[in-house]
Amino acid sequence: MTLPAWLNAVNFNADGLIPAIAQDYVSGRILMMAWMTAEALQLTAQTQTAVYFSRSRAKLWHKGESSGHTQQVHDIRLDCDADVIVLSVTQAGGIACHTGRESCFYQRLDLSGQTPEWQTVDKVLKDPAEIYKSSETADSTHHNHDNAVSNTEYNIENSSNNTDTKTHAGSILQQLDGVLAERQHADADSSYVASLYAKGLNKILEKVGEESTESIIAAKDFANCDENTDKIKYDEARNELIYEVADVWFHTLVGLAWFDIESDAVLNELGRRFGLSGIDEKAAR
């Protein structure tokens, strides 16, 4: 296919991709980063709405197609090496990140202590469960496995079934088992999980420890909130605790998959314990 002259001027990488950074039209804040193909860039220019390419799903992805948080494009810029795109956008709903935050870049490196630590500095503006009421999470899976900016969050990749996650938790875990098994043999650059496997067991266990600590902090923050005094702060703290615990569960499952242990083994063990006295169960070990 013959490309227009303006597209020929763009230096796409060996995979035919170029990183695209979305920046707020008014504030200038960086909202997110995703990938574009020549077709995605051409559609973005034609429609003046952001169209990206999902590497995990190998298909074009219209920003906001499931969340409604579309991006109106006001300006498209190309850097001096012609290998990075910057979009100046108006973000519908004021939320660019699948976590319900304004920006995907909501973690700040705190250098005030002896050890640098990542801190979450942006509030959740809307519960993702409300954003993605449909179980088809095309919009929510775009960047966590296409870049490593927000690597403490996750979504089940390549999932297109329409099951209700609240009533079919077991099937979600089984899907996740399958994804984790596949990622063990994937290229390290293809997804966040694959990059964890490439770094080895110690890195995976380190992440389990990090996420456990973050969930403890989130729990303490939530404990200090009063629903009657500040309902918004209470709800934000509650959501934060849920997200952090989900991260702990996820990275623990990554660790189990390292040893080829599926989630059913843990569910079966919990089932065995169900109805047993905790004291009796411990004594029987």
Side-chain angles (χ1 to χ4, degrees), residues 12-185:
F12 296 95
N13 65 19
D15 296 319
L17 301 171
I18 187 170
I21 299 167
Q23 188 174 29
D24 186 85
Y25 178 61
V26 176
S27 69
R29 183 176 187 190
I30 295 174
L31 301 177
M32 57 172 281
M33 174 268 171
W35 296 91
M36 284 184 167
T37 58
E39 184 180 5
L41 181 54
Q42 189 168 25
L43 283 172
T44 297
Q46 289 174 351
T47 65
Q48 295 186 346
T49 58
V51 180
Y52 301 106
F53 181 82
S54 170
R55 297 186 303 175
S56 62
R57 292 178 291 121
K59 60 182 289 188
L60 292 179
W61 159 61
H62 294 247
K63 173 62 180 171
E65 62 188 15
S66 61
S67 68
H69 296 155
T70 56
Q71 291 175 346
Q72 178 187 356
V73 178
H74 300 278
D75 193 27
I76 302 175
R77 299 205 176 200
L78 187 65
D79 80 324
C80 56
D81 294 321
D83 59 4
V84 177
I85 292 288
V86 174
L87 306 178
S88 181
V89 306
T90 293
Q91 177 64 62
I95 297 173
C97 185
H98 79 288
T99 64
R101 295 178 171 89
E102 176 189 8
S103 169
C104 295
F105 297 86
Y106 59 83
Q107 297 180 93
R108 173 183 173 273
L109 189 60
D110 182 4
L111 301 174
S112 61
Q114 293 183 341
T115 304
E117 293 183 350
W118 290 107
Q119 290 188 342
T120 298
V121 294
D122 287 2
K123 295 180 179 180
V124 173
L125 302 180
K126 188 174 183 180
D127 188 340
E130 288 297 313
I131 299 173
Y132 304 104
K133 291 181 180 178
S134 167
S135 61
E136 185 177 354
T137 56
D139 190 46
S140 66
T141 59
H142 78 279
H143 58 273
N144 289 316
H145 304 287
D146 280 357
N147 68 61
V149 171
S150 178
N151 62 16
T152 61
E153 307 289 338
Y154 80 94
N155 289 280
I156 296 176
E157 300 173 81
N158 298 330
S159 174
S160 60
N161 67 31
N162 294 316
T163 57
D164 182 344
T165 58
K166 290 185 177 180
T167 58
H168 296 279
S171 66
I172 294 298
L173 289 175
Q174 290 171 0
Q175 292 175 53
L176 186 52
D177 285 338
V179 170
L180 296 180
E182 291 174 3
R183 294 299 179 267
Q184 292 186 61
H185 309 290

Side-chain angles (χ1 to χ4, degrees), residues 159-224:
S159 174
S160 60
N161 67 31
N162 294 316
T163 57
D164 182 344
T165 58
K166 290 185 177 180
T167 58
H168 296 279
S171 66
I172 294 298
L173 289 175
Q174 290 171 0
Q175 292 175 53
L176 186 52
D177 285 338
V179 170
L180 296 180
E182 291 174 3
R183 294 299 179 267
Q184 292 186 61
H185 309 290
D187 186 273
D189 294 329
S190 65
S191 76
Y192 168 61
V193 173
S195 71
L196 276 182
Y197 285 129
K199 292 173 184 175
L201 180 61
N202 285 343
K203 182 61 178 179
I204 296 171
L205 298 179
E206 178 184 318
K207 290 299 299 180
V208 173
E210 287 178 8
E211 303 302 343
S212 298
T213 300
E214 289 178 8
S215 57
I216 291 171
I217 294 172
K220 288 184 174 292
D221 289 343
F222 185 37
N224 292 327

